[in-house]
Amino acid sequence: MKTFLISATVAIALAGMAAQAQASDALAHAVQASVELRDGSTLHIFKDGKMAKEDAFGRAVYLKRGEVLAAKDGRQIAAVGNEVARLERLLKDGHTG
């Protein structure tokens, strides 16, 4: 019985880690590139060229039309699209019960 409880506990822990890995994999497979911005946020560029912004706290945030974003490396990037709902879904994928 003790062995069963230990095995069950390990299985549950591994399943939880797998769900988190799937969520980050979903985002990694959907984006072409992720660019760190000066303000601590991240700009995700999807494979179709549209973009979404994730704030420093891991939340999808609104991009203004024509907004110019400053990358950490000094580049200036003009936002194309506002895929906030798409990013929100990818960030939450695998994190719901």
Side-chain angles (χ1 to χ4, degrees):
M1 182 69 168
K2 189 174 184 179
T3 306
F4 173 74
L5 290 175
I6 293 171
S7 297
T9 304
V10 170
I12 291 169
L14 291 175
M17 292 185 333
Q20 291 176 357
Q22 288 173 349
S24 61
D25 282 349
L27 181 59
H29 289 301
V31 298
Q32 179 179 5
S34 294
V35 179
E36 291 185 46
L37 303 176
R38 281 193 189 151
D39 64 358
S41 59
T42 304
L43 180 69
H44 298 288
I45 304 168
F46 293 98
K47 293 178 182 176
D48 62 2
K50 294 184 179 178
M51 301 177 185
K53 185 176 172 184
E54 177 183 354
D55 70 6
F57 302 105
R59 300 174 296 206
V61 294
Y62 186 81
L63 277 172
K64 296 176 187 144
R65 184 182 196 120
E67 182 177 358
V68 178
L69 306 161
K72 273 190 175 180
D73 62 7
R75 291 182 292 165
Q76 298 291 318
I77 303 168
V80 177
N82 182 27
E83 299 294 307
V84 68
R86 186 177 182 183
L87 179 60
E88 181 73 24
R89 181 183 50 81
L90 288 167
L91 291 172
K92 287 187 176 186
D93 190 24
H95 290 287
T96 56

